[in-house]
């Protein structure tokens, strides 16, 4: 009766969508537990390419019940568009369940996100502009609108009125924007009610009952450990708990029911938006990783910043998430390099530091200390076992495993679901 958590070990875009899809056949439920449509999870199945933002990647596997948990923030327009898009591609969307406690992203949250970033100027976080931060601010400030409010127009109106008092002050007096009218927001939100109603339920109850019956639940994270609001590179983070701890709070499944925590780990490092990134490359090697790895955002189309593998980050992900397995992705992207540098520690103010520094300013001026590993030139995309990989590729994986502190149970050698080497069963059992 396991619940398994799958999260990003770095700054997002590690390949969580592909890993979730791969596990789809072994699980009964796939749950998103935090974040919203700031995520962009690409799943390639044969000649079909899916980009999921809000829906769990498990929706693509027949038989799986996809769930949007209470910890997610939901943009209803995006939800409907995504559902329609998938239905048009022949995906069964009828089983989707949405928590009545999930919070709603309204158009004013999107406006505040975008205008707020513009006002920050050079200090901007580089958000996805999807209203994520402002919606979580309202949730914590107890001014949020929840999915369940959409089915009671009178309560909805009261809540929107309450939220807009502050929001309109901010929009008009600080941001020099037009005020938002209560009726226009209420009307917009109510327009989704009828279609939404059959999907809305007590998802915590359903998931716990499923676990009682011996079913398997996969909790699919958005973003990554270093974008976590508590454990990431604050303030250059997202506004939710993207690390494993968020999975229990964001789904209503207790921590004792979780038997495995899989960290998705890219064989190099990328990040989108602002913030410190010690191994970032500004030369032709950064360009090599970006073009070979197709490192362009699925949500915003932005170029991803690219750099070498950072072992202290992987070790930190092991610690923060209590990982049982790593799924190492995109090893194939490194093919063709003579030498592969790996950051094994940092130099901070003349000192060698092995752990991620607890002080953010230290991390900003951490210089990577590199060790070089010999590369390989053979095409590895067709390898199906660890032993088939060139010796240098095997050694690279084993070195990463040793430095990261968690066994590498699966290795991605290409975009397709099948381009995966499984070394140990990934169910965390
Ligand atoms: P996510 O946000 O963690 O789901 O990751 P994204 O979908 O944003 O970015 C990962 C990209 O890498 C996607 O385009 C995947 O199809 C692709 N990908 C995943 N695993 C592999 C792999 O092992 N090799 C290659 N070449 N591409 C992969
Ligand atoms: P997936 O699930 C990579 C980044 C943004 C920005 C910061 C805050 O595809 O891995 P937000 O809009 O969340 O307030 O932006 O977080 N960010 C991501 N980076 N992958 C993601 O999701 C991200 N979701 C948010 O670029 O730096
Ligand atoms: Mg992504």
């Amino acid at each position: 009766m396991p619940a398994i958590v799958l999260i990003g070990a770095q700054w997002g875009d590690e390949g969580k969508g592909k890993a979730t899809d791969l596990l789809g056949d072994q699980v009964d439920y796939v749950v998103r537990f935090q974040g919203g449509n700031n995520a962009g999870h690409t799943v390639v199945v044969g000649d079909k390419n899916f980009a999921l933002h809000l829906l769990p990647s498990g929706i693509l596997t027949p038989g799986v019940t996809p769930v949007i948990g209470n910890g997610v923030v939901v943009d209803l327009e995006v939800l409907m568009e995504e559902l329609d898009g998938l239905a048009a591609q022949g995906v069964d969307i009828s089983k989707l369940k949405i928590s009545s406690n999930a919070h709603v992203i309204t158009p004013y949250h999107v406006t505040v996100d975008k205008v707020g970033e513009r006002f920050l100027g050079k200090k901007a976080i580089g958000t996805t502009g999807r209203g994520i931060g402002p919606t979580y601010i309202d949730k914590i400030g107890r001014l949020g609108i929840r999915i369940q409010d959409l089915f009671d127009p009178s309560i909805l109106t009261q809540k929107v009125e309450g939220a807009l008092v502050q929001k309109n002050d901010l929009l008009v007096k600080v941001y020099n924007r037009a005020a938002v009218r209560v009726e226009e927001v209420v009307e917009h939100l109510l327009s989704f009610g009828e279609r939404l109603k059959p999907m809305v339920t007590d998802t915590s109850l359903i998931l716990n009952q499923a676990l009682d019956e011996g079913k398997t639940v996969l909790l699919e994270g958005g973003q990554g450990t270093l974008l976590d609001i508590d454990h990431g590179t604050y303030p250059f983070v997202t506004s939710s708990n993207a690390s494993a701890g968020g999975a229990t709070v964001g789904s209503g499944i207790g921590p004792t029911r979780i038997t495995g925590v899989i960290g998705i780990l890219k064989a190099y490092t990328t990040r989108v938006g602002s913030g410190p990134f010690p191994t970032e490359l500004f030369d032709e090697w950064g360009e090599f990783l970006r073009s070979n790895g197709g490192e362009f955002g699925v949500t915003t189309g932005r170029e991803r910043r690219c750099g070498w593998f950072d072992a202290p980050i992987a070790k930190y992900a092991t610690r923060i998430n209590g990982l049982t397995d790593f799924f190492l992705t995109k090893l194939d992207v490194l093919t063709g390099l003579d030498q592969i540098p790996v950051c094994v520690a940092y130099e901070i103010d003349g000192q060698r530091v092995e752990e991620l520094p607890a002080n953010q300013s230290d991390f900003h001026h951490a210089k990577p200390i590199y060790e070089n590993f010999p590369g390989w030139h053979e095409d590895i995309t067709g390898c199906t076992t660890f032993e088939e990989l060139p010796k240098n590729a095997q050694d690279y994986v084993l070195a990463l495993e040793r430095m990261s502190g968690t066994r590498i149970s699966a290795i991605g050698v290409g975009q397709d679901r099948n381009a995966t080497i499984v070394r140990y069963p990934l169910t965390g059992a």
Side-chain angles (χ1 to χ4, degrees):
M1 40 126 258
I4 303 152
V5 177
L6 186 156
I7 49 89
Q10 295 147 319
W11 276 293
D13 302 325
E14 300 91 348
K16 297 177 291 293
K18 173 184 156 170
T20 301
D21 177 57
L22 186 74
L23 286 170
D25 292 338
Q26 300 168 48
V27 305
D28 301 293
Y29 290 79
V30 177
V31 188
R32 277 286 306 271
F33 56 84
Q34 49 66 240
N37 58 311
N38 47 350
H41 297 182
T42 314
V43 180
V44 178
V45 189
D47 57 358
K48 282 197 168 169
N49 198 325
F50 299 92
L52 299 153
H53 296 284
L54 182 57
L55 295 165
S57 304
I59 198 164
L60 302 176
T61 311
V64 163
T65 303
V67 176
I68 293 181
N70 57 277
V72 175
V73 288
V74 181
D75 185 321
L76 296 161
E77 218 164 308
V78 171
L79 173 71
M80 299 311 175
E81 269 174 31
E82 205 164 307
L83 283 172
D84 290 342
L86 289 175
Q89 286 178 280
V91 176
D92 174 16
I93 54 166
S94 66
K95 289 208 268 303
L96 178 67
K97 305 272 176 265
I98 304 176
S99 167
S100 56
N101 286 350
H103 279 245
V104 176
I105 302 177
T106 71
Y108 57 78
H109 292 117
V110 178
T111 307
V112 170
D113 190 359
K114 288 183 179 158
V115 184
E117 280 281 276
R118 238 173 282 150
F119 266 63
L120 280 173
K122 278 195 184 142
K123 296 195 186 98
I125 288 156
T127 71
T128 58
R130 300 300 192 260
I132 306 295
T135 306
Y136 279 114
I137 289 173
D138 277 2
K139 173 176 174 174
I140 302 298
R142 292 162 293 183
L143 286 170
I145 312 292
R146 293 193 293 175
I147 294 277
Q148 58 185 277
D149 301 328
L150 304 190
F151 309 116
D152 187 331
S154 148
I155 289 208
L156 180 64
T157 306
Q158 284 173 39
K159 295 209 168 172
V160 173
E161 269 167 5
L164 281 183
V165 173
Q166 269 189 0
K167 217 62 71 198
N168 274 334
D169 257 7
L170 181 69
L171 286 170
V172 175
K173 294 182 186 159
V174 182
Y175 292 156
N176 209 11
R177 295 271 147 161
V180 178
R181 285 187 309 112
V182 173
E183 308 77 61
E184 105 194 47
V185 176
V186 170
E187 202 180 307
H188 171 76
L189 295 178
L190 287 177
S191 71
F192 298 101
E194 208 175 311
R195 183 163 177 203
L196 200 61
K197 202 157 196 178
M199 309 175 202
V200 177
T201 182
D202 182 346
T203 49
S204 163
L205 180 64
I206 287 181
L207 292 170
N208 279 283
Q209 282 173 341
L211 289 169
D212 291 343
E213 288 164 15
K215 303 243 164 74
T216 305
V217 175
L218 179 67
L219 297 141
E220 176 191 9
Q223 294 77 53
T225 306
L226 289 189
L227 287 171
D228 183 282
I229 186 80
D230 282 271
H231 300 291
T233 47
Y234 191 90
F236 302 103
V237 290
T238 192
S239 297
S240 66
N241 285 114
S243 59
T248 69
V249 181
S251 66
I253 294 175
T256 50
R257 308 204 83 161
I258 290 166
T259 54
V261 183
I262 304 167
I264 313 303
L265 183 69
K266 212 179 268 193
Y268 50 96
T269 316
T270 63
R271 133 162 246 181
V272 195
S274 318
F277 180 175
T279 64
E280 182 169 15
L281 295 164
F282 301 95
D283 55 14
E284 78 252 43
W285 301 117
E287 202 40 59
F288 172 92
L289 296 173
R290 190 174 302 112
S291 58
N292 265 17
E295 297 297 354
F296 299 88
V298 187
T299 300
T300 58
R302 288 179 290 180
E303 275 191 3
R304 293 176 183 153
R305 300 158 65 191
C306 296
W308 301 123
F309 187 83
D310 185 320
I313 287 179
K315 200 160 69 164
Y316 182 72
T318 292
R319 161 159 58 102
I320 293 298
N321 299 297
L323 297 178
T324 52
D325 306 83
F326 270 129
F327 185 138
L328 186 72
T329 59
K330 303 190 112 168
L331 187 65
D332 54 300
V333 174
L334 299 177
T335 300
L337 295 166
D338 291 332
Q339 296 282 323
I340 310 174
V342 168
C343 168
V344 295
Y346 308 118
E347 189 200 309
I348 302 173
D349 301 331
Q351 303 283 323
R352 184 184 169 100
V353 177
E354 307 271 344
E355 300 285 342
L356 224 68
N359 186 307
Q360 185 69 12
S361 305
D362 287 344
F363 197 48
H364 275 268
H365 54 260
K367 293 197 192 75
I369 299 174
Y370 286 116
E371 205 174 295
N372 278 316
F373 290 83
W376 59 92
H377 292 266
E378 301 89 330
D379 180 2
I380 62 168
T381 52
C383 294
T384 53
T385 64
F386 187 65
E387 291 66 35
E388 279 173 60
L389 287 172
K391 175 80 171 54
N392 287 351
Q394 290 186 20
D395 288 346
Y396 182 77
V397 172
L398 294 175
L400 264 41
E401 183 172 70
R402 198 175 56 246
M403 290 186 271
S404 307
T406 301
R407 73 179 188 187
I408 293 176
S409 299
I411 302 160
V413 291
Q415 259 202 315
D416 197 85
R417 175 199 289 179
N418 297 326
T420 307
I421 295 171
V422 180
R423 287 177 75 202
Y424 308 106
L426 255 175
T427 46

